[in-house]
Amino acid sequence: MSAVRTNGVIVAIDGPSGAGKSSLTKLLAQRLGYIHIDTGAMFRAVALMSKRAGIASDDDAGLAELCRGLEVNFVRDGDSCRVLANGEDVSREIRTEEIGLLTSAISARKPVREALLTMQRAMGAKGGVILEGRDIGTVVFPDAEVKFFLSASAEERGRRRYLELAARGDQATLEETIAKVIQRDQQDEGREHAPLRQAEDALAIDSTTLSIDEVLAVMENTVRKRLGQGDKG
Ligand SMILES: Nc1ncnc2c1ncn2[C@@H]1O[C@H](COP(=O)(O)OP(=O)(O)OP(=O)(O)O)[C@@H](O)[C@H]1O
Ligand SMILES: Nc1ccn([C@H]2C[C@H](O)[C@@H](COP(=O)(O)O)O2)c(=O)n1
């Protein structure tokens, strides 16, 4: 039974690394006037703060203590969003490959998942939000009114990430990037706590051969139908 939500519905977008979740969530949130919650950024913020504090990625007591003192907020900056950890803008630092790798380990720890689960549910409770991540439709909001599972082939997701990294001057090869995508998939799918998987009631979208705009059209029409607003045409 969905809780009463005063600001609109909850939309969940889950899927593996490089599938297009952040890109589509940002665009869909703009179209719907909804709030974009990048749960991956929250895990990345924990990873960054744990690195600074010298807390090992398997130190559950230390990670639990860190999370108890951590506040992660999203602040709109034009048409983008800044990520604040205890008031500090960490938007750039959390996007490094080093933090990405550390985050994969950190996000497998139960105390971190429990702490961020509480934060994410508080952020989305009133609806009018789109949350992107790995476990939104299965764990965070299993009663979300609309769920998508966005994927693409590992080769295509690696190609996209390779182009993204190359544009930032990163020297990684296409083969290396595809391998890292596959490794991240295995870590996210194979962990004990809240593994990446498609919710039974999620609409699966394979974007391997679809453009961002084509995926956006499917998502927007699906949400508007759920809102009783019919197709965009
Ligand atoms: N359908 C698509 N076709 C082509 N490029 C795409 C498509 N969707 C996303 N991209 C591009 O792929 C790259 C990764 O997209 P994005 O960061 O949104 O994925 P993600 O699922 O959020 O990844 P992660 O979970 O690793 O953060 C971006 O450069 C984005 O512009
Ligand atoms: N709800 C979530 C969101 C993210 N994670 C993990 C998965 C990645 O290893 C890492 C970074 O996510 P990204 O920014 O690449 O989407 O955090 C998770 O376990 N649960």
Side-chain angles (χ1 to χ4, degrees):
M1 170 67 182
S2 301
V4 175
R5 292 168 180 148
T6 54
N7 295 349
V9 300
I10 290 176
V11 179
I13 301 181
D14 290 311
S17 182
K21 298 183 301 300
S22 293
S23 303
L24 272 301
T25 303
K26 178 179 175 182
L27 290 167
L28 189 58
Q30 288 170 348
R31 289 283 179 91
L32 299 172
Y34 273 27
I35 294 170
H36 173 181
I37 299 175
D38 180 351
T39 63
M42 299 174 76
F43 285 93
R44 288 170 178 268
V46 173
L48 174 64
M49 302 313 255
S50 71
K51 176 175 178 286
R52 287 182 181 177
I55 299 171
S57 60
D58 61 353
D59 177 0
D60 286 344
L63 290 169
E65 180 65 27
L66 173 79
C67 290
R68 276 193 287 273
L70 181 64
E71 189 176 344
V72 182
N73 291 298
F74 298 97
V75 176
R76 193 189 293 267
D77 176 17
D79 70 350
S80 64
C81 196
R82 315 303 295 170
V83 182
L84 305 185
N86 289 343
E88 178 192 348
D89 185 344
V90 295
S91 306
R92 290 178 62 84
E93 271 189 274
I94 62 171
R95 296 295 172 193
T96 65
E97 275 303 292
E98 178 195 13
I99 294 300
L101 280 173
L102 180 59
T103 307
S104 198
I106 290 282
S107 64
R109 309 309 297 183
K110 190 176 179 181
V112 175
R113 300 214 69 90
E114 288 176 340
L116 292 189
L117 176 60
T118 301
M119 290 185 205
Q120 290 154 12
R121 284 178 173 167
M123 285 172 160
K126 293 185 178 176
V129 293
I130 308 175
L131 298 97
E132 54 149 308
R134 303 300 192 281
D135 63 337
I136 310 304
T138 52
V139 175
V140 183
F141 284 110
D143 63 344
E145 287 85 349
V146 184
K147 300 178 185 179
F148 298 106
F149 192 85
L150 180 58
S151 67
S153 68
E155 292 73 19
E156 172 61 9
R157 290 182 287 124
R159 185 189 70 84
R160 294 170 184 176
R161 186 56 27 96
Y162 167 74
L163 293 174
E164 199 177 33
L165 292 171
R168 296 200 314 227
D170 191 295
Q171 304 297 314
T173 67
L174 174 59
E175 292 70 24
E176 288 166 343
T177 308
I178 292 172
K180 280 189 179 175
V181 162
I182 293 170
Q183 180 192 9
R184 182 78 64 81
D185 290 352
Q186 289 166 345
Q187 288 166 335
D188 293 344
E189 291 164 357
R191 65 178 178 232
E192 180 187 356
H193 304 295
L196 168 65
R197 63 178 181 81
Q198 180 180 331
E200 288 180 11
D201 54 349
L203 172 64
I205 301 176
D206 183 335
S207 69
T208 304
T209 60
L210 298 177
S211 69
I212 289 176
D213 286 343
E214 287 171 321
V215 176
L216 178 61
V218 171
M219 289 185 164
E220 183 174 4
N221 287 334
T222 302
V223 175
R224 291 194 186 281
K225 275 182 184 170
R226 180 67 179 77
L227 293 171
Q229 295 173 2
D231 268 1
K232 278 284 289 178

